[in-house]
Amino acid sequence: MANKKMTIIASKGTLDMAYPPLLLATTAAAMDIDVTIFFTFYGLQIIRKDNAEKLKVSPLGNPAMPMPMPMPMPAAAGLPALDELATSMMKEMFKKHSVATVGELLALAQESGVKFVACQMTMDVMGIKQEDIISGVEFGGAATWMDVAADSQVNLLV
Amino acid sequence: MANKKMTIIASKGTLDMAYPPLLLATTAAAMDIDVTIFFTFYGLQIIRKDNAEKLKVSPLGNPAMPMPMPMPMPAAAGLPALDELATSMMKEMFKKHSVATVGELLALAQESGVKFVACQMTMDVMGIKQEDIISGVEFGGAATWMDVAADSQVNLLV
Amino acid sequence: MANKKMTIIASKGTLDMAYPPLLLATTAAAMDIDVTIFFTFYGLQIIRKDNAEKLKVSPLGNPAMPMPMPMPMPAAAGLPALDELATSMMKEMFKKHSVATVGELLALAQESGVKFVACQMTMDVMGIKQEDIISGVEFGGAATWMDVAADSQVNLLV
């Protein structure tokens, strides 16, 4: 019997939201499910060369973030300082609990046969070239995703 | 054989997140897939009359946005000024690469037979009246979406 | 004939984004659909004991929020004050239109047979213990979700 199939559209490029597509994909691949991740919009940041370990997370706009922020924040420090702090804390939390980094999960996903497709249209708009993307990635458009999705049992957009 | 079906729940109303539902829907429609978009929560802003071209995007909380922001931001300018700047830059990027505007994609989707449903409950909560919504939209609730989704091959929430 | 099935991954923990999983789940349950919600990442905040009515929403980063914010915001008040204000206004809007609270929807979902699964890995990372979670919740991982999702007609990630 043919394997079950899953597609995930990865449209976010923050440190926190890079995890769900990669964790779900690697888990599914280990269960012999054929997985395709379609990286588009901000999600392209995940597969830019040398960028996986540089993704950041921001506490702004997300009061559900379970990290103690120094508030009221020092106005002088500014917003980028808040993002740096939240990013360091989140990476520390993952490391402490032996959760793989985004770069490690990317490698594991590719080793496990997860297919990566990068959205050419978004790349053009954002000025990202094919040589800026990690190796092993195919390039396509929404129709490429749609073809696979229509025959998949599970489709998600992150 | 009956056409394949897709539903998309459009729950976000920012300029960037208005694109995925409309790009995927118009692509699918061109492939003879029956598409229904269910606009709810902030997604209603996409189909408010005369609002499609006024959607904004914010760099706050999204360190993955690939746009250079003047940082440290001038405190005097305030947050709305940042949103205006990011919105102008994103619109310019899309225009430069001949990507259709949100309003153009809405029209294309409707011409292509994509069905639009607006969430009546959210409209009531937000004080949006049926005459505030663009023409050609049906009104319904979560059960309306569920009925279609249960018989669709692809369902996404944006 | 077996019931149709739906899974929802609840990955956000803000007041606004706590609603879609619970509204869709309770609607589906009323239509005899078997629903499983997998709470992970920030979504765990929804099912932390005594936390459902304390979720907050932020206007930061979401220019689509249809709530008048005092702008330019008083710098002295700071960002947490903005979140408090937006949260109060949203709760008031829901209450005025007789929309159930998050706590009420959680109870209704459980009474309706919606199955709740909490992501053990994220709990470990965030330092959340099983006794910190409301009763009636099972604990599992991505594979637990995948098993159900592969046999479901509808799968969403919020």
Side-chain angles (χ1 to χ4, degrees), chain B residues 119-141:
Chain B
C119 177
Q120 186 65 59
M121 189 200 86
T122 325
M123 288 172 57
D124 293 343
V125 170
M126 292 184 171
I128 300 175
K129 300 194 182 100
Q130 294 197 356
E131 59 259 35
D132 298 332
I133 298 291
I134 61 173
S135 60
V137 174
E138 296 177 31
F139 301 93

Side-chain angles (χ1 to χ4, degrees), chain C residues 47-70:
Chain C
I47 52 169
R48 282 182 69 176
K49 273 182 192 161
D50 300 322
N51 202 44
E53 307 301 8
K54 294 176 188 165
L55 301 178
K56 291 186 181 5
V57 64
S58 177
L60 294 176
N62 185 10
M65 185 170 291
M67 284 187 275
M69 281 292 137

Side-chain angles (χ1 to χ4, degrees), chain B residues 22-150:
Chain B
L22 297 173
L23 289 173
L24 295 173
T26 49
T27 300
M31 298 166 76
D32 280 330
I33 292 169
D34 293 337
V35 186
T36 300
I37 306 183
F38 183 69
F39 295 90
T40 186
F41 278 77
Y42 310 119
L44 288 168
Q45 302 297 334
I46 304 172
I47 51 169
R48 282 181 69 174
K49 273 183 192 159
D50 301 320
N51 202 44
E53 307 300 9
K54 295 177 187 164
L55 301 178
K56 291 184 180 10
V57 63
S58 177
L60 294 176
N62 185 11
M65 186 171 290
M67 283 187 275
M69 282 291 136
M71 294 290 186
M73 75 168 186
L79 305 180
L82 271 185
D83 290 1
E84 293 297 339
L85 183 60
T87 300
S88 295
M89 292 176 73
M90 185 168 281
K91 284 189 171 181
E92 196 56 40
M93 283 198 331
F94 283 135
K95 192 177 174 186
K96 189 178 159 192
H97 293 88
S98 307
V99 177
T101 66
V102 173
E104 290 165 352
L105 283 172
L106 277 178
L108 176 59
Q110 289 192 308
E111 285 160 22
S112 312
V114 173
K115 190 172 166 183
F116 287 177
V117 181
C119 177
Q120 186 65 59
M121 189 200 86
T122 325
M123 288 172 57
D124 293 343
V125 170
M126 292 184 171
I128 300 175
K129 300 194 182 100
Q130 294 197 356
E131 59 259 35
D132 298 332
I133 298 291
I134 61 173
S135 60
V137 174
E138 296 177 31
F139 301 93
T144 312
W145 166 78
M146 192 73 239
D147 270 334
V148 187

Side-chain angles (χ1 to χ4, degrees), chain C residues 7 22 26-27 39 44 51 74 77 81 96 105 109 118 131 138 148 155:
Chain C
T7 74
L22 297 173
T26 50
T27 299
F39 295 90
L44 287 168
N51 202 44
K96 189 178 158 190
L105 283 172
E131 60 259 35
E138 295 177 30
V148 186
N155 299 291

